[in-house]
Structures are given as C-alpha cells and as structure tokens.
C-alpha cells in the first residue's frame, strides 16, 4: 500500500503548506531513521533505508507547489495516464500558437519568436494564477471531499493540464530558438 505523504508527516492535505514546518519534520525523520544507526541489525537497517527513501520522496514532492498539485490530484484519482484530456476549446485557442511555432521552425524570425514566447508566457501566468486562486479556495474549504471541493479539484485539474500543455509549447519553442 502506498504511503500518503501528508499522513507521513502528520500534516493536513493542503495546496499551501508551511514549508519550514515540512523541512523540520523532514530533518527530524531523517535523523530518527538514519541507516547508519542500524549497521549491525540488517532488519532495522532495511526498515531505516525504506523510511529514508519515503522521507526523501515525500519531501521532494511536498516541498514544491507544482508537485503538490500533481500529487493531490493523483491521490483523488483525477490524473490518470490515459484520461488526461485537455478541453477542446483550449486546444482550439492553442492552434494559432502551434501554427506560429511551426512557422518559426521553418523560417526563424526573432521578432515573431519574442511575440510567441510572450504570448505563451502570459497564458502560463494566467493559468498559474487561476490554479493558485482555486487552491486557496480548496484549502479554506472542508477537505472532506464534498461536492464543492471535488468541483474545485476538477477545475484545478483542468487548469493544471492546460498549464502542462503550455509548458510543452514553451519547451518546443525553446528547442530551436
């Protein structure tokens, strides 16, 4: 059974967490479960190694906002490998940008490149603001997964998927720029 990283640290599942408290809990667990304390006991050593691995992974994921978003969405079954459909209306909006990127690949133009980059950056920043606003709403609500909180998570999921798409556009543009 997979370990819930929020439970592992004894913190409430939220998008915005106290990062200093998280770091303190991480260091405390790292010190408590250090494998070097158990060099003469193979069973305890293996348990400490497992706890250290979980601790490192949990801290890595919970320490960054974007990875926390992904983690929370996955925990609620809202991100699945084959079911991450980006809304069709958004893809239609992105069609012009994709065409601009293709044009730049064939015939690079510095001015056009800056325009497209700026447009992509504005869209990405707008999506990030929307995610932060909804995440704040979620954190203030009763996280017992009422219909309201589930709707918020679904909205976050949609913006998250759009944000990932925009990031791929940025990376595509950066490859040849």
């Amino acid at each position: 059974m997979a370990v819930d990283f929020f439970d592992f640290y004894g913190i409430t599942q939220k998008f915005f967490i106290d990062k200093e408290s998280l770091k303190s809990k991480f260091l405390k667990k790292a010190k408590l479960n250090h494998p070097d304390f158990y060099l003469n006991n193979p069973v305890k050593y293996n348990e400490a190694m497992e706890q250290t691995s979980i601790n490192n992974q949990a801290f890595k994921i919970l320490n960054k906002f974007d990875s926390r978003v992904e983690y929370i969405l996955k925990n609620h079954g809202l991100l699945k490998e084959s079911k991450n459909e980006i809304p069709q209306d958004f893809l239609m909006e992105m069609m012009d940008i994709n065409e601009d990127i293709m044009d730049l690949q064939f015939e690079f133009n510095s001015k056009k490149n800056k325009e497209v980059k700026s447009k992509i950056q504005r869209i990405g920043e707008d999506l990030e603001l929307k995610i932060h606003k909804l995440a704040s709403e979620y954190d203030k609500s009763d996280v017992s997964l009422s219909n309201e909180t589930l709707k918020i998570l679904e909205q976050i999921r949609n913006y998250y998927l759009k944000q990932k798409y925009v990031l791929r556009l940025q990376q595509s543009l950066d490859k040849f720029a």
Side-chain angles (χ1 to χ4, degrees):
M1 184 174 145
V3 174
D4 181 302
F5 295 152
F6 289 100
D7 287 344
F8 183 75
Y9 288 122
I11 57 178
T12 304
Q13 178 186 283
K14 302 261 184 206
F15 287 100
F16 297 101
I17 60 174
D18 180 346
K19 290 177 76 173
E20 285 303 313
S21 174
L22 175 69
K23 185 176 181 179
S24 173
K25 291 172 188 274
F26 165 76
L27 292 173
K28 185 177 179 183
K29 284 194 179 272
K31 193 179 217 182
L32 182 67
N33 294 303
H34 200 285
D36 287 352
F37 294 141
Y38 307 103
L39 290 174
N40 295 326
N41 184 335
V43 172
K44 291 271 190 190
Y45 178 83
N46 288 335
E47 288 172 6
M49 287 295 288
E50 185 178 330
Q51 287 297 305
T52 298
S53 176
I54 293 168
N55 191 32
N56 290 335
Q57 186 179 14
F59 182 75
K60 180 181 175 187
I61 287 174
L62 297 184
N63 194 41
K64 293 182 183 163
F65 180 79
D66 291 340
S67 56
R68 262 193 319 278
V69 169
E70 182 177 348
Y71 182 76
I72 290 170
L73 293 174
K74 280 182 179 177
N75 272 358
H76 292 290
L78 293 171
L79 283 183
K80 297 181 181 173
E81 293 303 316
S82 62
K83 292 192 172 191
N84 293 330
E85 296 142 5
I86 299 170
Q88 199 64 34
D89 59 334
F90 180 76
L91 292 175
M92 294 303 288
E93 288 176 35
M94 296 297 104
M95 194 177 299
D96 287 340
I97 293 176
N98 276 308
E99 287 176 10
D100 287 341
I101 291 173
M102 285 175 44
D103 289 345
L104 285 166
Q105 286 174 329
F106 289 113
E107 189 176 327
F108 187 78
N109 175 315
S110 182
K111 183 180 176 191
K112 183 71 172 176
N113 183 54
K114 285 180 183 175
E115 289 173 11
V116 174
K117 219 175 217 179
S118 177
K119 191 174 188 178
I120 291 171
Q121 185 175 349
R122 280 192 310 274
I123 293 167
E125 288 169 355
D126 180 56
L127 290 169
E128 188 171 336
L129 283 173
K130 289 176 179 177
I131 290 171
H132 278 259
K133 182 178 181 238
L134 288 165
S136 183
E137 279 182 47
Y138 177 86
D139 284 359
K140 290 175 188 170
S141 68
D142 175 19
V143 249
S144 63
L145 275 193
S146 65
N147 282 339
E148 177 190 332
T149 56
L150 190 55
K151 285 179 184 175
I152 293 171
L153 283 175
E154 287 171 349
Q155 287 177 297
I156 290 172
R157 174 192 170 272
N158 287 337
Y159 289 130
Y160 173 82
L161 292 174
K162 290 176 183 180
Q163 188 180 46
K164 289 295 173 197
Y165 186 88
V166 168
L167 182 62
R168 284 192 299 271
L169 288 176
Q170 282 177 318
Q171 291 169 342
S172 176
L173 190 61
D174 289 344
K175 276 184 186 174
F176 61 88

